[in-house]
Amino acid sequence: MKSLPYFCRGEVIRGFGRGSKELGIPTANFPDSVVDNLPADISTGIYYGWACVGNGDVHKMVMSIGWNPYYKNTKKSMETHVIHTFKEDFYGDTLSVVMVGYIRPERSFDSLEALIAAINNDIEEAKTKLELPEHRKLRDDNFFTGTPNGSSALPPTTTSVSQTIMNGH
Ligand code: ADP
Ligand code: RBF
Ligand code: MG
């Protein structure tokens, strides 16, 4: 996938509320503007990378892109589970992510338990892969820490930053 690493950011919006309640694995959902901006060669499936909420710390993440075949969603979603325990929800905040690698395609499962087990495997794989030096260095990218001239101002929250701009990283 030539578009990886792929940098984007956007506002955290509400989904169906299933992640926390049914799976015990909350996922911060991006708006359509971010989903629709994905390059054509970023296929649906499960990715790992780095994420930060607002100006906060950078954490490991796993992301699911697609239609959640287990739930048969009709709308394509892009949802990030940040591998960190937050004190409270962060709806409306800006989530910045860099997708670093691909894990697997989305699939359906015979039970909720099987879906949860698969996601927990993805989390373990992400934790290990992100320790590789070539992946770890992306955590310290200017994208998360501010612009090269030292300003830490974030771009507007409702639109994603286009890959054309972010490719400079
Ligand atoms: P929704 O369907 O609205 O996305 P979820 O049950 O998936 O609901 O919960 C997602 C929300 O939980 C996020 O928008 C965020 O505000 C909050 N949250 C708390 N901890 C995390 C985390 N570690 N990763 C992602 N979201 C989290
Ligand atoms: N949903 C699926 O239907 N099939 C999957 O294979 C699948 N894999 C996921 C992997 C990860 C790492 C995450 C965070 C989510 C995954 N989901 C998958 C999405 C899950 O169904 C969704 O997060 C919840 O429905 C809450 O929106
Ligand atoms: Mg969610």
Side-chain angles (χ1 to χ4, degrees):
M1 258 176 252
K2 65 176 166 42
S3 294
L4 293 183
Y6 180 71
F7 294 82
C8 67
R9 60 166 57 101
E11 185 186 345
V12 176
I13 61 153
R14 282 182 189 275
F16 296 108
R18 290 194 291 238
S20 315
K21 286 194 202 78
E22 288 185 25
L23 306 176
I25 305 164
T27 58
N29 293 43
F30 274 135
D32 290 345
S33 56
V34 178
V35 184
D36 295 343
N37 260 324
L38 282 171
D41 74 314
I42 297 270
S43 53
T44 58
I46 315 308
Y47 292 80
Y48 61 88
W50 299 101
C52 104
V53 178
N55 291 318
D57 294 340
V58 181
H59 302 287
K60 292 174 178 175
M61 67 81 169
V62 279
M63 181 192 283
S64 163
I65 300 179
W67 289 271
N68 298 3
Y70 180 81
Y71 290 100
K72 301 187 175 70
N73 286 358
T74 53
K75 220 176 87 178
K76 186 174 176 182
S77 69
M78 199 173 159
E79 358 173 347
T80 304
H81 172 68
V82 186
I83 306 176
H84 177 75
T85 304
F86 291 88
K87 287 199 186 74
E88 43 195 39
D89 286 352
F90 46 85
Y91 289 111
D93 284 3
T94 299
L95 178 70
S96 301
V97 301
V98 56
M99 290 154 57
V100 170
Y102 182 77
I103 302 181
R104 64 175 175 88
E106 283 191 300
R107 45 165 290 209
S108 193
F109 293 89
D110 293 336
S111 67
L112 197 58
E113 290 68 33
L115 170 61
I116 294 169
I119 297 177
N120 282 323
N121 270 337
D122 298 333
I123 292 172
E124 288 314 308
E125 181 167 344
K127 283 183 181 168
T128 308
K129 290 261 172 70
L130 287 164
E131 288 301 320
L132 294 168
E134 71 261 36
H135 293 155
R136 217 185 147 87
K137 70 173 195 282
L138 286 160
R139 187 187 60 172
D140 304 319
D141 195 278
N142 282 330
F143 177 71
F144 292 117
T145 52
T147 56
N149 65 17
S151 156
S152 63
L154 291 172
T157 56
T158 46
T159 51
S160 69
V161 179
S162 85
Q163 176 69 2
T164 324
I165 299 167
M166 303 320 303
N167 256 341
H169 286 260

